[in-house]
Coordinates of all heavy atoms in Angstrom, one line a residue:
L1 N -0.6 -5.8 10.4 CA 0.8 -5.6 10.1 C 1.7 -6.4 11.0 O 1.5 -6.4 12.2 CB 1.2 -4.1 10.2 CG 0.4 -3.1 9.3 CD1 0.8 -1.7 9.7 CD2 0.8 -3.4 7.9
P2 N 2.7 -7.1 10.4 CA 3.6 -7.9 11.2 C 4.4 -7.1 12.2 O 4.8 -7.6 13.3 CB 4.4 -8.7 10.2 CG 4.2 -8.0 8.9 CD 3.0 -7.2 9.0
V3 N 4.8 -5.9 11.8 CA 5.7 -5.0 12.6 C 5.0 -3.7 12.7 O 4.6 -3.1 11.7 CB 7.1 -4.9 12.0 CG1 7.9 -3.9 12.9 CG2 7.8 -6.2 11.9
A4 N 4.8 -3.2 13.9 CA 4.2 -1.8 14.1 C 5.1 -0.8 13.5 O 6.4 -0.8 13.8 CB 4.0 -1.5 15.6
P5 N 4.6 0.1 12.7 CA 5.4 1.2 12.1 C 5.8 2.2 13.1 O 5.1 2.5 14.1 CB 4.6 1.8 11.0 CG 3.2 1.5 11.4 CD 3.2 0.2 12.2
D6 N 6.9 2.9 12.9 CA 7.3 4.1 13.6 C 6.6 5.3 13.1 O 6.4 5.4 11.8 CB 8.8 4.3 13.6 CG 9.6 3.2 14.2 OD1 9.1 2.6 15.2 OD2 10.8 2.9 13.8
L7 N 6.2 6.2 13.9 CA 5.5 7.4 13.5 C 6.5 8.6 13.7 O 7.0 8.8 14.8 CB 4.2 7.6 14.3 CG 3.4 8.9 14.0 CD1 2.9 8.9 12.6 CD2 2.3 9.0 15.0
Y8 N 6.6 9.4 12.7 CA 7.5 10.6 12.7 C 6.7 11.8 12.3 O 5.8 11.8 11.5 CB 8.7 10.5 11.8 CG 9.6 9.4 12.2 CD1 9.5 8.1 11.7 CD2 10.6 9.7 13.1 CE1 10.4 7.1 12.1 CE2 11.5 8.7 13.5 CZ 11.4 7.4 13.0 OH 12.3 6.4 13.4
I9 N 7.1 13.0 12.9 CA 6.5 14.3 12.5 C 7.6 15.1 11.8 O 8.7 15.2 12.4 CB 6.0 15.0 13.7 CG1 4.8 14.2 14.3 CG2 5.5 16.4 13.3 CD1 4.4 14.8 15.7
Q10 N 7.4 15.5 10.6 CA 8.4 16.2 9.8 C 7.9 17.7 9.8 O 6.8 18.0 9.5 CB 8.4 15.7 8.4 CG 9.4 16.5 7.5 CD 9.3 16.0 6.1 OE1 8.3 15.3 5.6 NE2 10.3 16.3 5.3
S11 N 8.9 18.6 10.1 CA 8.6 20.0 10.1 C 8.6 20.4 8.6 O 9.6 20.3 7.9 CB 9.7 20.8 10.8 OG 9.4 22.2 10.7
S12 N 7.4 20.9 8.1 CA 7.3 21.2 6.7 C 6.1 22.2 6.5 O 5.1 22.1 7.2 CB 7.0 20.0 5.9 OG 6.7 20.3 4.5
P13 N 6.3 23.2 5.6 CA 5.2 24.1 5.3 C 4.0 23.5 4.5 O 3.0 24.1 4.3 CB 5.9 25.2 4.5 CG 7.0 24.6 3.8 CD 7.5 23.5 4.8
Q14 N 4.2 22.3 4.0 CA 3.2 21.6 3.2 C 2.5 20.5 4.1 O 3.2 19.8 4.8 CB 3.8 20.9 2.0 CG 4.4 21.9 1.0 CD 5.0 21.2 -0.2 OE1 5.3 20.0 -0.2 NE2 5.0 21.9 -1.3
A15 N 1.2 20.4 3.9 CA 0.4 19.4 4.6 C 0.5 18.1 3.8 O 0.2 18.1 2.6 CB -1.0 19.8 4.7
N16 N 1.1 17.1 4.4 CA 1.3 15.8 3.7 C 1.5 14.7 4.7 O 1.8 14.9 5.9 CB 2.6 16.0 2.8 CG 2.6 14.9 1.8 OD1 1.7 14.1 1.6 ND2 3.8 14.7 1.1
A17 N 1.4 13.5 4.3 CA 1.7 12.3 5.0 C 2.1 11.2 4.0 O 1.6 11.2 2.9 CB 0.4 11.8 5.8
Y18 N 3.0 10.4 4.4 CA 3.5 9.3 3.5 C 4.1 8.2 4.4 O 4.3 8.3 5.6 CB 4.5 9.9 2.5 CG 5.7 10.5 3.2 CD1 6.9 9.8 3.4 CD2 5.8 11.9 3.4 CE1 8.0 10.4 4.0 CE2 6.9 12.5 4.0 CZ 8.0 11.7 4.2 OH 9.1 12.3 4.8
T19 N 4.2 7.1 3.7 CA 4.8 5.9 4.3 C 6.1 5.4 3.6 O 6.3 5.8 2.4 CB 3.8 4.7 4.2 OG1 3.6 4.3 2.9 CG2 2.5 5.0 4.9
L20 N 6.9 4.7 4.3 CA 8.1 4.2 3.7 C 8.4 2.8 4.3 O 8.4 2.7 5.6 CB 9.3 5.1 3.9 CG 10.6 4.6 3.3 CD1 10.6 4.4 1.8 CD2 11.7 5.5 3.7
A21 N 8.5 1.8 3.5 CA 8.8 0.5 4.0 C 9.8 -0.2 3.1 O 9.6 -0.2 1.9 CB 7.6 -0.4 4.2
L22 N 10.9 -0.7 3.6 CA 11.8 -1.5 2.8 C 11.5 -2.9 2.9 O 11.7 -3.5 4.0 CB 13.3 -1.2 3.3 CG 13.6 0.3 3.2 CD1 15.0 0.5 3.9 CD2 13.6 0.8 1.8
Q23 N 10.9 -3.5 1.9 CA 10.5 -4.9 1.9 C 11.7 -5.8 2.0 O 12.7 -5.6 1.4 CB 9.7 -5.2 0.6 CG 8.4 -4.4 0.6 CD 7.6 -4.7 -0.7 OE1 8.2 -5.1 -1.7 NE2 6.3 -4.3 -0.6
G24 N 11.5 -6.8 2.9 CA 12.6 -7.8 3.1 C 13.6 -7.3 4.1 O 14.6 -8.0 4.3
R25 N 13.4 -6.2 4.7 CA 14.3 -5.7 5.7 C 13.8 -5.9 7.1 O 12.6 -6.1 7.3 CB 14.6 -4.2 5.5 CG 15.0 -3.8 4.1 CD 16.5 -4.0 4.0 NE 16.9 -3.7 2.6 CZ 18.1 -3.2 2.4 NH1 18.9 -3.0 3.3 NH2 18.4 -2.9 1.2
D26 N 14.7 -5.9 8.1 CA 14.2 -6.1 9.4 C 13.8 -4.8 10.1 O 13.4 -4.8 11.3 CB 15.4 -6.8 10.2 CG 15.6 -8.2 9.8 OD1 14.7 -8.9 9.3 OD2 16.7 -8.7 10.0
T27 N 13.9 -3.7 9.4 CA 13.6 -2.4 10.0 C 12.1 -2.2 9.9 O 11.4 -2.7 9.0 CB 14.3 -1.3 9.2 OG1 13.9 -1.3 7.9 CG2 15.8 -1.4 9.4
A28 N 11.6 -1.5 10.9 CA 10.1 -1.2 10.9 C 9.8 -0.2 9.9 O 10.6 0.7 9.5 CB 9.8 -0.6 12.3
P29 N 8.6 -0.3 9.3 CA 8.2 0.7 8.3 C 7.9 2.0 9.1 O 7.8 2.0 10.3 CB 6.8 0.1 7.8 CG 6.4 -0.9 8.8 CD 7.6 -1.4 9.5
I30 N 7.8 3.1 8.3 CA 7.6 4.4 9.0 C 6.4 5.1 8.3 O 6.1 4.9 7.1 CB 8.8 5.3 8.9 CG1 9.2 5.7 7.5 CG2 10.0 4.7 9.6 CD1 10.2 6.8 7.4
V31 N 5.7 5.9 9.1 CA 4.7 6.8 8.7 C 5.1 8.2 9.1 O 5.5 8.4 10.2 CB 3.3 6.4 9.3 CG1 2.2 7.5 9.0 CG2 2.8 5.0 8.9
V32 N 5.1 9.1 8.1 CA 5.5 10.5 8.4 C 4.3 11.4 8.2 O 3.6 11.3 7.2 CB 6.7 10.9 7.4 CG1 7.1 12.3 7.7 CG2 7.8 9.9 7.6
V33 N 4.1 12.3 9.1 CA 3.0 13.3 9.0 C 3.7 14.6 9.2 O 4.5 14.8 10.1 CB 2.0 13.1 10.1 CG1 0.9 14.1 10.1 CG2 1.4 11.7 10.0
T34 N 3.4 15.6 8.4 CA 4.0 16.9 8.5 C 3.4 17.7 9.6 O 2.2 17.6 9.9 CB 4.0 17.7 7.2 OG1 2.7 17.9 6.8 CG2 4.7 16.9 6.1
S35 N 4.2 18.7 10.1 CA 3.7 19.6 11.1 C 2.5 20.4 10.6 O 1.5 20.6 11.4 CB 4.8 20.5 11.6 OG 5.4 21.2 10.5
T36 N 2.5 20.8 9.4 CA 1.4 21.6 8.9 C 0.1 20.8 8.8 O -1.0 21.3 9.1 CB 1.8 22.2 7.5 OG1 3.0 23.0 7.7 CG2 0.7 23.1 6.9
L37 N 0.2 19.6 8.4 CA -1.0 18.7 8.4 C -1.6 18.6 9.8 O -2.8 18.7 9.9 CB -0.6 17.3 7.8 CG -1.8 16.4 7.6 CD1 -1.7 15.7 6.3 CD2 -1.9 15.4 8.8
L38 N -0.7 18.4 10.8 CA -1.2 18.4 12.2 C -1.9 19.7 12.6 O -2.9 19.7 13.3 CB -0.1 18.0 13.1 CG 0.5 16.6 13.0 CD1 1.7 16.4 13.9 CD2 -0.6 15.5 13.2
E39 N -1.3 20.8 12.2 CA -1.9 22.1 12.5 C -3.3 22.4 11.8 O -4.2 23.0 12.4 CB -0.9 23.2 12.1 CG 0.3 23.2 12.9 CD 1.4 24.1 12.4 OE1 1.1 24.9 11.4 OE2 2.5 24.2 12.9
R40 N -3.4 21.9 10.6 CA -4.6 22.2 9.8 C -5.8 21.2 10.0 O -6.9 21.5 9.7 CB -4.3 22.2 8.3 CG -3.4 23.3 7.9 CD -3.2 23.3 6.4 NE -2.3 24.4 6.0 CZ -1.8 24.5 4.8 NH1 -2.2 23.7 3.8 NH2 -1.0 25.5 4.5
C41 N -5.5 20.0 10.5 CA -6.5 19.0 10.6 C -7.0 18.7 12.0 O -6.2 18.9 13.0 CB -6.0 17.6 10.0 SG -5.6 17.7 8.2
S42 N -8.2 18.3 12.1 CA -8.7 17.9 13.4 C -8.1 16.6 13.8 O -7.5 15.9 13.0 CB -10.2 17.8 13.4 OG -10.6 16.7 12.6
D43 N -8.3 16.2 15.1 CA -7.8 14.9 15.6 C -8.4 13.8 14.8 O -7.7 12.8 14.4 CB -8.1 14.7 17.1 CG -7.3 15.6 17.9 OD1 -6.3 16.2 17.5 OD2 -7.6 15.7 19.1
Q44 N -9.7 13.9 14.4 CA -10.4 12.8 13.7 C -9.8 12.7 12.3 O -9.6 11.6 11.7 CB -11.9 13.0 13.6 CG -12.6 12.7 14.9 CD -14.1 13.0 14.8 OE1 -14.5 14.0 14.2 NE2 -14.9 12.1 15.4
E45 N -9.5 13.9 11.7 CA -8.9 13.9 10.3 C -7.5 13.2 10.3 O -7.2 12.5 9.4 CB -8.9 15.3 9.8 CG -10.3 15.8 9.4 CD -10.3 17.3 9.1 OE1 -9.4 18.1 9.7 OE2 -11.1 17.7 8.3
V46 N -6.7 13.6 11.3 CA -5.4 13.0 11.5 C -5.5 11.5 11.6 O -4.7 10.7 11.0 CB -4.6 13.6 12.6 CG1 -3.3 12.9 12.9 CG2 -4.3 15.1 12.3
Q47 N -6.4 11.0 12.4 CA -6.6 9.6 12.6 C -7.0 8.9 11.3 O -6.4 7.9 11.0 CB -7.7 9.4 13.7 CG -7.9 7.9 14.0 CD -9.0 7.7 15.1 OE1 -9.7 8.6 15.4 NE2 -9.1 6.5 15.6
A48 N -7.8 9.5 10.5 CA -8.2 9.0 9.2 C -7.0 8.9 8.3 O -6.8 8.0 7.5 CB -9.4 9.8 8.6
I49 N -6.2 10.0 8.3 CA -5.0 10.1 7.4 C -4.0 9.0 7.8 O -3.5 8.3 6.9 CB -4.4 11.5 7.5 CG1 -5.3 12.5 6.8 CG2 -3.0 11.5 6.8 CD1 -5.0 13.9 7.1
I50 N -3.8 8.8 9.1 CA -2.8 7.8 9.5 C -3.4 6.4 9.2 O -2.7 5.5 8.7 CB -2.5 7.9 11.0 CG1 -1.7 9.2 11.3 CG2 -1.8 6.7 11.6 CD1 -1.5 9.5 12.7
G51 N -4.7 6.2 9.3 CA -5.3 5.0 8.9 C -5.1 4.7 7.4 O -4.9 3.6 7.0
H52 N -5.3 5.8 6.6 CA -5.0 5.6 5.2 C -3.6 5.2 4.9 O -3.4 4.3 4.1 CB -5.3 7.0 4.5 CG -5.0 7.1 3.1 ND1 -5.9 6.7 2.1 CD2 -3.9 7.4 2.4 CE1 -5.3 6.8 0.9 NE2 -4.1 7.3 1.1
E53 N -2.6 5.8 5.6 CA -1.2 5.4 5.4 C -1.0 4.0 5.8 O -0.2 3.3 5.2 CB -0.3 6.4 6.1 CG -0.4 7.8 5.6 CD -0.1 7.9 4.1 OE1 0.8 7.2 3.6 OE2 -0.7 8.8 3.5
L54 N -1.6 3.6 6.9 CA -1.5 2.2 7.4 C -2.0 1.2 6.4 O -1.5 0.1 6.2 CB -2.1 2.0 8.7 CG -1.5 2.7 9.9 CD1 -2.3 2.5 11.2 CD2 0.0 2.2 10.1
G55 N -3.1 1.6 5.7 CA -3.6 0.8 4.6 C -2.6 0.6 3.5 O -2.5 -0.5 2.9
H56 N -1.9 1.6 3.1 CA -0.8 1.5 2.1 C 0.2 0.5 2.6 O 0.7 -0.4 1.8 CB -0.1 2.8 1.9 CG -0.9 3.8 1.1 ND1 -1.4 3.5 -0.1 CD2 -1.2 5.1 1.3 CE1 -2.0 4.6 -0.6 NE2 -1.9 5.5 0.3
L57 N 0.6 0.5 3.9 CA 1.6 -0.5 4.4 C 1.0 -1.9 4.3 O 1.7 -2.9 3.9 CB 2.0 -0.1 5.8 CG 2.8 1.1 6.0 CD1 3.0 1.4 7.4 CD2 4.2 0.9 5.3
K58 N -0.3 -2.1 4.7 CA -0.9 -3.4 4.8 C -1.0 -4.0 3.3 O -0.7 -5.2 3.2 CB -2.3 -3.3 5.4 CG -3.0 -4.7 5.5 CD -4.1 -4.6 6.4 CE -4.9 -5.9 6.5 NZ -4.1 -7.0 7.0
C59 N -1.2 -3.1 2.4 CA -1.3 -3.6 1.0 C 0.0 -3.6 0.2 O 0.0 -3.8 -1.0 CB -2.4 -2.8 0.2 SG -4.0 -2.9 0.9
E60 N 1.0 -3.2 1.0 CA 2.4 -3.2 0.4 C 2.5 -2.2 -0.8 O 3.2 -2.4 -1.8 CB 2.9 -4.6 0.0 CG 3.0 -5.5 1.3 CD 3.5 -6.9 0.9 OE1 3.8 -7.2 -0.2 OE2 3.6 -7.6 1.9
H61 N 1.8 -1.1 -0.7 CA 1.9 0.0 -1.7 C 3.1 0.9 -1.6 O 3.4 1.6 -2.5 CB 0.6 0.9 -1.7 CG -0.6 0.2 -2.0 ND1 -1.8 0.7 -1.7 CD2 -0.9 -1.0 -2.7 CE1 -2.8 -0.1 -2.2 NE2 -2.2 -1.1 -2.7
S62 N 3.7 0.9 -0.4 CA 4.8 1.9 -0.1 C 5.9 1.9 -1.1 O 6.4 2.9 -1.5 CB 5.3 1.8 1.3 OG 5.8 0.5 1.5
L63 N 6.3 0.7 -1.6 CA 7.4 0.6 -2.6 C 7.0 1.4 -3.9 O 7.8 2.2 -4.4 CB 7.7 -0.8 -2.9 CG 8.8 -1.0 -4.0 CD1 10.1 -0.4 -3.6 CD2 8.9 -2.5 -4.3
Y64 N 5.8 1.1 -4.3 CA 5.3 1.8 -5.6 C 5.2 3.3 -5.4 O 5.5 4.0 -6.3 CB 4.0 1.1 -6.1 CG 4.2 -0.4 -6.2 CD1 3.5 -1.3 -5.4 CD2 5.0 -0.9 -7.2 CE1 3.6 -2.6 -5.5 CE2 5.1 -2.3 -7.4 CZ 4.5 -3.1 -6.5 OH 4.6 -4.5 -6.6
L65 N 4.6 3.7 -4.2 CA 4.4 5.1 -4.0 C 5.8 5.8 -3.9 O 5.9 6.9 -4.3 CB 3.6 5.3 -2.7 CG 2.2 4.8 -2.8 CD1 1.5 4.9 -1.4 CD2 1.4 5.7 -3.8
T66 N 6.8 5.2 -3.2 CA 8.1 5.8 -3.1 C 8.7 5.9 -4.5 O 9.3 7.0 -4.8 CB 9.0 4.9 -2.2 OG1 8.4 4.8 -0.9 CG2 10.4 5.5 -2.1
L67 N 8.7 4.9 -5.3 CA 9.3 5.0 -6.6 C 8.5 6.0 -7.5 O 9.2 6.8 -8.2 CB 9.2 3.6 -7.3 CG 10.1 2.5 -6.7 CD1 9.9 1.2 -7.4 CD2 11.6 3.0 -6.8
G68 N 7.2 6.1 -7.4 CA 6.5 7.1 -8.1 C 6.8 8.5 -7.7 O 6.9 9.4 -8.5
G69 N 7.0 8.7 -6.4 CA 7.4 10.0 -5.9 C 8.7 10.4 -6.3 O 8.9 11.6 -6.7
I70 N 9.7 9.5 -6.4 CA 11.0 9.8 -6.9 C 11.0 10.1 -8.3 O 11.6 11.1 -8.8 CB 12.0 8.6 -6.6 CG1 12.2 8.5 -5.1 CG2 13.3 8.8 -7.4 CD1 12.9 7.2 -4.7
A71 N 10.2 9.4 -9.1 CA 10.1 9.6 -10.5 C 9.4 11.0 -10.8 O 9.7 11.6 -11.8 CB 9.3 8.5 -11.2
A72 N 8.5 11.4 -10.0 CA 7.7 12.6 -10.2 C 8.5 13.9 -9.7 O 8.1 15.0 -10.1 CB 6.4 12.6 -9.5
T73 N 9.5 13.7 -8.9 CA 10.2 14.9 -8.4 C 10.7 15.9 -9.5 O 10.5 17.1 -9.3 CB 11.4 14.4 -7.5 OG1 10.8 13.7 -6.4 CG2 12.1 15.6 -6.9
P74 N 11.3 15.4 -10.5 CA 11.8 16.4 -11.5 C 10.6 17.2 -12.2 O 10.8 18.3 -12.6 CB 12.5 15.6 -12.6 CG 12.8 14.3 -11.9 CD 11.8 14.1 -10.8
L75 N 9.4 16.5 -12.3 CA 8.3 17.2 -12.9 C 7.7 18.3 -12.1 O 7.1 19.3 -12.6 CB 7.2 16.1 -13.2 CG 7.6 15.0 -14.1 CD1 6.4 14.0 -14.2 CD2 7.9 15.5 -15.5
R76 N 7.9 18.3 -10.8 CA 7.4 19.3 -9.9 C 8.0 20.7 -10.2 O 7.4 21.7 -10.0 CB 7.6 19.0 -8.4 CG 6.7 17.8 -8.0 CD 6.8 17.5 -6.5 NE 6.0 16.4 -6.2 CZ 6.2 15.6 -5.3 NH1 7.2 15.7 -4.5 NH2 5.3 14.6 -5.1
G77 N 9.3 20.7 -10.7 CA 9.9 21.9 -11.0 C 9.3 22.6 -12.3 O 9.5 23.8 -12.5
L78 N 8.5 21.8 -13.0 CA 7.9 22.3 -14.2 C 6.5 23.0 -14.0 O 6.0 23.7 -14.8 CB 7.8 21.2 -15.3 CG 9.1 20.5 -15.7 CD1 8.8 19.4 -16.7 CD2 10.0 21.5 -16.4
L79 N 6.0 22.7 -12.8 CA 4.6 23.2 -12.5 C 4.7 24.6 -11.9 O 5.6 24.9 -11.2 CB 4.0 22.2 -11.5 CG 3.7 20.8 -12.0 CD1 3.2 19.9 -10.8 CD2 2.8 20.7 -13.1
P80 N 3.7 25.4 -12.2 CA 3.6 26.7 -11.6 C 3.5 26.6 -10.0 O 2.9 25.6 -9.5 CB 2.3 27.3 -12.2 CG 1.9 26.5 -13.3 CD 2.6 25.1 -13.1
G81 N 4.0 27.6 -9.3 CA 4.0 27.6 -7.9 C 2.6 27.4 -7.2 O 2.5 26.7 -6.2
A82 N 1.5 27.9 -7.8 CA 0.2 27.7 -7.2 C -0.2 26.3 -7.3 O -0.9 25.8 -6.4 CB -0.8 28.6 -8.0
V83 N 0.2 25.6 -8.3 CA -0.2 24.1 -8.4 C 0.6 23.3 -7.4 O 0.0 22.5 -6.7 CB 0.1 23.6 -9.8 CG1 -0.1 22.1 -9.9 CG2 -0.8 24.3 -10.9
I84 N 1.9 23.6 -7.2 CA 2.7 22.9 -6.2 C 2.1 23.1 -4.8 O 2.1 22.2 -4.0 CB 4.2 23.4 -6.3 CG1 4.7 22.9 -7.7 CG2 5.0 22.8 -5.2 CD1 6.1 23.5 -7.9
D85 N 1.7 24.3 -4.5 CA 1.2 24.6 -3.1 C -0.1 23.8 -2.9 O -0.4 23.4 -1.7 CB 0.9 26.1 -2.9 CG 2.2 26.9 -2.9 OD1 3.3 26.3 -2.6 OD2 2.1 28.1 -3.1
S86 N -0.8 23.5 -3.9 CA -2.1 22.7 -3.7 C -1.9 21.2 -3.7 O -2.8 20.5 -3.3 CB -3.1 23.1 -4.8 OG -2.7 22.6 -6.0
L87 N -0.7 20.7 -4.0 CA -0.5 19.3 -4.0 C -0.3 18.7 -2.6 O 0.1 19.2 -1.7 CB 0.8 18.9 -4.8 CG 0.7 19.2 -6.3 CD1 2.0 18.9 -7.0 CD2 -0.4 18.5 -6.9

């Protein structure tokens, strides 16, 4: 990666990790890991998850994943609560 990403921890009841990069910008990309993911996973699992997120940045997937997440947000309200908790 040309620029090292910033790493953030988000307080959240859901275990999740994601990346965000604004292509063509001078700002560093970011990797976000939720507090629940850190609580539930071992150090090796967290390392693998962060590696997975870095792979998205290297392949420039973050733009497509961000747009897909934004597009899917209204659909999450249509899913039963049990399904949302497992996502």
